[in-house]
Amino acid sequence: PLDLMKANMKTGLMFDLVATRDIKRGEEVLIDYGGDWEERWQQHMEDWDSGKTPLDDLHNMTNYGNTSAVSELNLNSIVRTVEEQQSDPYPSHVATICLFNQPEGGECSDGAGEVLCRSRWEPSFDATKSKLCDIISRRTIQGRDWYTVSTNIFDKVSGEDMSLAVEFIARDAINFIHRPYTKDQYALEAFRHEIGLPLSMIPNQWLDL
């Protein structure tokens, strides 16, 4: 849906498909992934053995690792704190990431063998600076929610990881993602093969590239 595409703020390679005849309401539209894909799929179906798939992994394939669930969570205006998740948890395959500029300094103290630092949120528009984070608290100021999150950062001076609490981070800087290796394509016995196109769908100008 268009709303989910807007929420993701990015897409992969896209091209237009133009119908050469009228499409009836409810009629199924199929896409040919190419002969190589079809051959590999048929081989996969012949070799498939559901007994090799643990129940937990099969449950993940059918119920959890879908992209739409993460996209819908990103549309929510409120992110639940760690405490709130004790009674109302997010799916196990979901994690939160926070986007911020790593501070040069901050209020730090030693505790339990770790360096604990606190810093105010400094906005960033560089998605590569996103880090896994836990939502510690949420407060509403003049109708807008602000969060305190905890994350780990690498300290260039000490050469060690530090625990950092980032305060007053905006909701727009917090996103939901799949935890690494929890999408259904990573499940045991999942079918993996690149999607192709029939040559008839590719412009002649592209065939010589």
Side-chain angles (χ1 to χ4, degrees):
L2 184 58
D3 288 343
L4 292 180
M5 292 179 64
K6 291 179 178 179
N8 286 333
M9 296 186 295
K10 63 178 181 180
T11 60
L13 177 65
M14 300 180 68
F15 58 91
D16 292 330
L17 297 178
V18 181
T20 57
R21 65 171 177 80
D22 292 342
I23 299 174
K24 298 178 181 179
R25 182 183 295 274
E27 184 177 359
E28 185 176 7
V29 178
L30 304 178
I31 297 178
D32 188 342
Y33 288 161
D36 186 53
W37 188 96
E38 182 67 25
E39 181 180 339
R40 299 295 182 89
W41 171 251
Q42 292 300 329
Q43 186 64 48
H44 176 76
M45 294 297 291
E46 292 175 9
D47 296 340
W48 170 259
D49 181 0
S50 60
K52 293 181 181 179
T53 304
L55 290 179
D56 288 345
D57 210 38
L58 185 61
H59 183 70
N60 180 64
M61 290 173 65
T62 56
N63 292 285
Y64 284 106
N66 60 80
T67 301
S68 62
V70 173
S71 299
E72 290 171 4
L73 284 173
N74 280 319
L75 294 176
N76 292 343
S77 60
I78 292 178
V79 183
R80 296 193 284 272
T81 66
V82 171
E83 182 178 355
E84 290 170 338
Q85 291 179 51
Q86 295 298 315
S87 58
D88 190 9
Y90 290 117
S92 59
H93 73 284
V94 169
T96 45
I97 57 173
C98 297
L99 179 58
F100 61 92
N101 280 321
Q102 181 169 324
E104 296 295 332
E107 298 180 4
C108 301
S109 61
D110 293 328
E114 297 181 339
V115 178
L116 307 176
C117 297
R118 304 183 72 86
S119 176
R120 286 182 69 96
W121 175 57
E122 183 179 337
S124 172
F125 298 97
D126 182 358
T128 63
K129 294 184 177 180
S130 296
K131 294 185 177 296
L132 289 170
C133 60
D134 292 320
I135 312 302
I136 304 304
S137 64
R138 178 184 63 251
R139 67 174 68 178
T140 303
I141 302 176
Q142 295 182 347
R144 185 174 183 182
D145 290 331
W146 300 91
Y147 295 83
T148 296
V149 306
S150 66
T151 186
N152 289 324
I153 61 172
F154 180 74
D155 181 45
K156 297 179 181 178
V157 177
S158 65
E160 298 178 351
D161 286 336
M162 295 193 311
S163 178
L164 173 69
V166 183
E167 300 175 324
F168 295 102
I169 186 168
R171 169 65 183 90
D172 294 342
I174 303 173
N175 281 297
F176 291 89
I177 62 167
H178 287 276
R179 291 189 184 277
Y181 304 107
T182 59
K183 288 188 176 182
D184 52 9
Q185 67 259 36
Y186 295 108
L188 187 65
E189 295 295 307
F191 176 68
R192 302 175 181 87
H193 190 70
E194 61 271 14
I195 294 175
L197 290 173
L199 291 179
S200 59
M201 293 185 63
I202 303 176
N204 292 330
Q205 296 89 334
W206 292 12
L207 295 178
D208 293 333
L209 296 179

